[in-house]
Amino acid sequence: MIDLDQFDLKLLAALQEDASQTNQELGEVIHLSASQVSRRRTRLEQERVIRRYKADLSPEYLGLDVMAFVGVALATHNKENAKLFRDLVRTIPSVQEAYAMTGDMDYMLKIRVKDLKALGEVINNELLPHEAVQNVRSSISMETLRDDNHLPLGG
């Protein structure tokens, strides 16, 4: 972990809100010059505090109306089977996020698809037939209450 001062935290907060801002615009928000912002931003990128920049696309406008959380239990618990499953997850485009879990399910997947038929195809044609998978449990999101993905930066 690197040391972050208040200007770093303000810069990160501003970038979380809108990463398309120029260094000049960010400097006006956090009261630093554009060159100071640029140096700080470069350091935060090099230190991997800032992992990437990306556009925040609207799933609904793109016809991806169904979001499901799918818990997966592995057939056997060993390194090889875990690797097989991790490799599988990387090949399924509708998997947005994937986590190794504690508890009843070994993995939790966040999946975005256009409709329930498409979700059924992912579960029945890609997950369940795979040799690494024992069973799956899915829950469909009815409403998104919050999805800004902002990290708490202090205070």
Side-chain angles (χ1 to χ4, degrees), residues 37-149:
V37 169
S38 177
R39 282 192 296 277
R40 285 174 180 271
R41 190 177 193 166
T42 298
R43 179 179 63 89
L44 293 168
E45 291 166 352
Q46 290 172 344
E47 294 285 341
R48 305 287 296 149
V49 175
I50 299 172
R51 298 187 305 174
R52 64 181 173 247
Y53 298 96
K54 61 182 181 177
D56 186 9
L57 306 179
S58 173
E60 295 81 14
Y61 284 103
L62 295 168
L64 300 170
D65 294 326
V66 174
M67 179 172 49
F69 296 92
V70 178
V72 177
L74 295 184
T76 57
H77 293 90
N78 58 48
K79 259 187 189 179
E80 295 78 25
N81 208 41
K83 182 181 180 330
L84 284 173
F85 181 73
R86 289 169 187 252
D87 290 345
L88 169 67
V89 165
R90 289 184 186 99
T91 68
I92 304 173
S94 58
V95 174
Q96 285 190 298
E97 300 174 31
Y99 302 94
M101 305 295 289
T102 62
D104 295 343
M105 292 287 125
D106 298 308
Y107 295 92
M108 184 62 66
L109 310 178
K110 178 182 169 186
I111 295 178
R112 266 288 185 179
V113 289
K114 64 180 182 171
D115 55 28
L116 292 176
K117 181 179 180 190
L119 177 61
E121 289 172 4
V122 171
I123 291 172
N124 294 317
N125 299 337
E126 299 188 60
L127 292 174
L128 282 174
H130 195 273
E131 64 184 295
V133 175
Q134 177 179 331
N135 66 49
V136 302
R137 284 191 208 154
S138 61
S139 297
I140 297 169
S141 171
M142 295 179 4
E143 178 183 8
T144 300
L145 303 178
R146 181 178 175 180
D147 79 342
D148 63 21
N149 275 338

Side-chain angles (χ1 to χ4, degrees), residues 11-31:
L11 174 58
L12 292 170
L15 287 168
Q16 277 193 133
E17 195 60 42
D18 181 2
S20 70
Q21 296 178 84
T22 66
N23 290 336
Q24 181 67 42
E25 292 168 330
L26 290 164
E28 291 170 12
V29 171
I30 65 172
H31 308 292

